[in-house]
């Protein structure tokens, strides 16, 4: 019979957590080893904040719950910025936080951990006793999965040491392949070497499922999708039937519904775009606009602002995605689809709010459009007003045609409904082929003999780096360049940790993202300020041994503040002497390359011929006078 700490680790392994990250101290030593013993891969970080960001990146791109393991008190406070980012992003992360015993009122480690974590939007849970431990763990896990929440499960030391009762109490044999704490993962023992049976470097690889009979998938805990009310389906169908230039914008809530939304877009003649966090969802679609908002190319901004119907699918349509509303034309109708009623109309008035799962809603509307075109009767089964959520006094059918008027005009061959052209014209397709991306948009070259234009740099790297990549972006003045210029293969190729707007999270979240997609080259983009803030995790990346490219946009300053306050301000507090980041990287065991012009990229090309370990690109970038999206972003402060 083991302890509660051992039981917690065993239960989480059985439930199917994907990977654990942490900094091990006395308070979380036993529960971390229990996770490892029962087959959960563990990566030792150098700082708890890094561990939290690694888990965030891993969970976003793997689709599985990631675990963070921290010591009580100071271990948890160290992790709070990463936990705050995950919580605000509604990432399914489970934090195992040791806690002081209730009787240890004079402990140096004692803080109100529940109040701390709830203050940043995480859910506070607790293992209350040996008798309730199994139920407490499962409740926390289900909240993370079903509620798409970041959960902190507090583990009081006296409860951890108690004799376990119930499920997960059987002693488990240690996994002979489990690494020692801090050691490289077994599949990465030889730097750069693929694991047995893995595809060749650059090939996409699905996240492996647990072995049958050992660890479950979290999918079995997910509730069935929320289907929209038929009245909502009718109202949305009517709006689409009348629209001539519809645009779909998919966000975080639509990441699992890309296929259904894309089919509806083809059927209704809509262009498709995403928020930044869903970048890549429609990659390969001839009418994919990429990211909507501050990172949009001039052509994409023109097309979105010309829409007469904008539909946000699991997307907040906030100031970032809609450029403070400037991308929504004065006569455009706005629809928002979300399975969280609180999200509907939260950031801007909408003409129609649809409460429902994005995939289910898109499928139901597609069926209704096809049925209307074929003369079929509407689907029965739901009361007319259920789930319809108008905002600001606009009724769901205000100004909308009656259901019987929704038609494509003609049926297609063999009885299939004709597909309307809408915004999907050959003219639009030709324009998108020519200038969809910023890479295709002419801009002046700001490079000097000593510093390279960040647009020139990023465009060149986009051509050099393999297409099968996973790009993780830190926060800062530079962030628009990798987001807009480094194209990704799909929605599992982009990790964008900006919900808390903190610098210093990119390197760690990029490590987690790279571990989640092992068949792709990990690429991290950071400013010099954020990179130096996260420097301890460079050792973690080197120790893991997987190929990773870190691009440091080095302007020797906190660039956002420099450009926001301008040359007339005293900028000495946000400006620094130039740092030889390539030399720092070499000291950690990485390969360092300094880039001042395109000729210096030969060092990157050389590394790519046999990518092993970590490559850090110290890019000395020219001043851009403030990135094109920066002034707009500061309007939200």
């Amino acid at each position: 019979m083991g302890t509660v700490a051992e039981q917690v680790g065993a239960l989480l392994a059985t439930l199917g957590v994907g990977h654990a990250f942490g900094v091990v101290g006395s308070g979380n030593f036993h529960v971390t080893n229990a996770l490892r013993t029962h087959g959960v891969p563990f990566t030792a970080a150098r700082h708890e904040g890094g561990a939290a960001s690694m888990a965030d990146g891993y969970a976003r791109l793997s689709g599985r719950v990631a675990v963070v393991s921290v010591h009580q008190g100071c271990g948890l406070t160290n992790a709070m910025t990463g936990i705050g980012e995950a919580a605000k992003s509604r990432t399914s992360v489970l934090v195992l936080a040791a806690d002081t015993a209730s009787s240890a009122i004079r402990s140096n480690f004692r803080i109100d951990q529940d109040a701390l974590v709830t203050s940043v939007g995480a859910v506070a849970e607790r293992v209350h006793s040996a008798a309730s431990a199994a139920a407490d763990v499962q409740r926390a896990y289900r909240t993370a999965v079903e509620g798409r929440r970041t959960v902190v499960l507090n583990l009081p030391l006296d409860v951890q040491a108690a004799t376990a009762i119930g499920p997960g109490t059987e002693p488990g044999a240690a996994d002979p392949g489990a690494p020692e704490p801090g050691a490289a993962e077994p599949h990465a023992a030889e730097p750069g070497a693929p694991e047995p049976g893995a595809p060749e470097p650059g090939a996409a690889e699905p996240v492996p499922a647990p072995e049958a009979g050992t660890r479950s998938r979290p999918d079995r805990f997910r509730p069935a999708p929320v289907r929209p009310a038929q009245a909502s389906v009718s109202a949305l169908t009517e709006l689409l039937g009348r629209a001539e230039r519809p645009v779909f914008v998919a966000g975080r809530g639509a990441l699992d519904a890309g296929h259904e939304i894309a089919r509806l877009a083809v059927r209704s003649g809509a262009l498709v775009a995403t928020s930044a966090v869903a970048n890549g969802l429609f990659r390969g679609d001839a009418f994919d606009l990429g990211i909507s908002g501050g990172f949009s190319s001039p052509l994409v901004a023109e097309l979105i602002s010309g829409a007469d119907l904008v539909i946000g699918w699991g997307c907040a349509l906030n100031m970032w995605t809609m450029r403070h509303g400037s991308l929504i034309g004065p006569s455009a109708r706005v629809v928002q689809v979300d399975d969280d009623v609180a999200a509907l109309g939260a950031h801007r008035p909408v003409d129609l709010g649809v409460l429902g799962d994005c995939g289910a809603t898109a499928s139901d509307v597609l069926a209704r459009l096809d049925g209307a075109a074929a003369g079929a009767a509407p689907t029965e089964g739901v009361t007319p007003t259920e789930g319809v959520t108008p905002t600001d006094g606009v009724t769901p059918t205000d100004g909308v045609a009656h259901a019987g008027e929704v038609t494509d005009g003609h049926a297609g061959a063999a009885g299939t409904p004709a597909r309307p052209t809408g915004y999907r014209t050959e003219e639009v397709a030709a324009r998108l082929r020519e200038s969809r991306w910023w890479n295709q948009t002419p801009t002046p070259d700001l490079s000097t003999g000593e510093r390279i234009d960040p647009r020139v740099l990023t465009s060149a790297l986009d051509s050099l780096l393999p297409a099968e990549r996973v790009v993780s972006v830190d926060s800062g003045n530079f962030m628009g360049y990798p987001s807009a210029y480094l194209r990704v293969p799909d929605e599992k190729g982009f990790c964008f940790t900006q919900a808390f707007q903190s610098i210093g999270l990119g390197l760690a979240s990029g490590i987690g993202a790279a571990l989640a997609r092992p068949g792709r080259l990990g690429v991290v983009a950071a400013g010099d300020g954020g990179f130096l803030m996260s420097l301890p995790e460079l050792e973690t990346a080197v120790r893991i041994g997987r190929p990773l490219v870190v691009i440091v946009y080095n302007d020797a300053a906190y660039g956002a503040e420099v450009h926001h306050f301008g040359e007339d301000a005293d900028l000495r507090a946000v400006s620094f002497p130039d740092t030889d980041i390539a030399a720092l990287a070499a000291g950690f065991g990485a390969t360092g390359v300094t880039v001042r012009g395109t000729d210096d990229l030969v060092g990157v090309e050389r590394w790519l011929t046999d990518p092993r370990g970590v490559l850090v690109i110290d890019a000395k970038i020219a001043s851009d006078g403030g990135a094109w999206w920066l002034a707009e972003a500061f309007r939200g402060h």
Side-chain angles (χ1 to χ4, degrees), residues 8 128 130 143 150 231 237 248 293 296 311 318 321 324 345 361-362 368 385 388 404 416 438 458 470 484 536 572 612:
V8 171
H128 295 279
T143 300
T150 295
T237 302
F248 293 173
S296 297
I311 303 179
N318 58 25
T321 308
H324 294 271
T361 301
R368 183 67 65 91
T385 58
V388 179
T416 57
W438 271 105
T458 317
V470 51
R572 287 175 294 177
R612 290 176 177 269

Side-chain angles (χ1 to χ4, degrees), residues 408-436:
D408 296 321
H410 304 284
T416 57
R419 300 300 189 254
T421 301
Y423 226 164
R424 292 187 168 229
T425 66
E426 181 50 44
E427 178 188 357
V428 170
R431 295 185 69 196
L432 286 171
R433 284 193 296 270
E434 293 176 1
S435 51
R436 183 195 327 257

Side-chain angles (χ1 to χ4, degrees), residues 513-587:
L515 288 171
R517 314 307 301 180
R520 295 180 175 180
L521 177 65
V523 179
V524 174
D528 55 303
F531 176 76
L532 291 171
M533 188 178 289
S534 60
L535 192 59
E537 301 312 340
L538 181 58
E539 187 280 332
T540 305
V542 170
R543 172 169 26 98
I544 289 171
R546 290 189 181 277
L548 182 72
V549 174
V550 182
I551 310 164
V552 183
Y553 292 78
N554 187 356
D555 61 357
Y558 291 136
E561 285 66 35
V562 167
H563 298 299
H564 176 57
F565 292 103
E567 295 180 355
D568 293 336
D570 183 351
L571 300 174
R572 287 175 294 177
V574 293
S575 302
F576 303 90
D578 188 48
T579 302
D580 189 346
I581 287 176
L584 284 177

